[in-house]
Amino acid sequence: QVQLVESGGGLVQPGGSPRLSCAASGSMFSLYDMGWYRQAPGKQRELVARITSGGSQNYAGFVKGRFTISRDNAKNMMYLQMNSLNPEDTAVYYCNAVPALFQWGQGTQVTVSS
């Protein structure tokens, strides 16, 4: 079983560029397609970006070229570089496999506000 710990969120000004990190335990991380999800207040959790075990990337339409997902299988790490944030990006961000096979971590709160 893979355990996931997200970090890197916080209060960000509109237009800001935080980088989220996901640390995964276990030796099987590299075999899974992984993704970043988010859940805004009062809304369902949604997939933001996906990266396959081979490194191919896919993004939700609302990302519009602003985010970049990456992974370092040697370190069991995944990242989300976020640029040009707006208040609508405010949410708790989570990492998990795609589909979400593992227990959800605590997530990392990203609040976009001036």
Side-chain angles (χ1 to χ4, degrees), residues 11-33:
L11 178 61
V12 182
Q13 290 194 340
S17 300
R19 185 194 196 203
L20 307 185
S21 297
C22 171
S25 66
S27 58
M28 307 292 285
F29 171 79
S30 64
L31 301 181
Y32 294 99
D33 293 354

Side-chain angles (χ1 to χ4, degrees), residues 30-107:
S30 64
L31 301 181
Y32 294 99
D33 293 354
M34 296 294 295
W36 283 98
Y37 301 75
R38 72 182 187 184
Q39 187 167 21
K43 296 187 177 181
Q44 290 189 335
R45 187 149 31 199
E46 59 185 351
L47 182 63
V48 175
R50 169 188 176 183
I51 186 166
T52 67
S53 58
S56 297
Q57 304 155 27
N58 299 98
Y59 298 92
F62 58 77
V63 169
K64 297 180 181 178
R66 299 179 298 133
F67 300 172
T68 301
I69 189 171
S70 61
R71 67 191 297 167
D72 184 338
N73 289 335
K75 297 181 178 180
N76 276 14
M77 295 291 295
M78 184 174 66
Y79 307 98
L80 186 68
Q81 177 65 51
M82 308 167 70
N83 299 316
S84 303
L85 288 183
N86 57 61
E88 290 71 36
D89 295 313
T90 294
V92 180
Y93 285 74
Y94 302 87
C95 60
N96 209 316
V98 180
L101 301 172
F102 310 126
Q103 184 174 355
W104 293 99
Q106 295 293 314

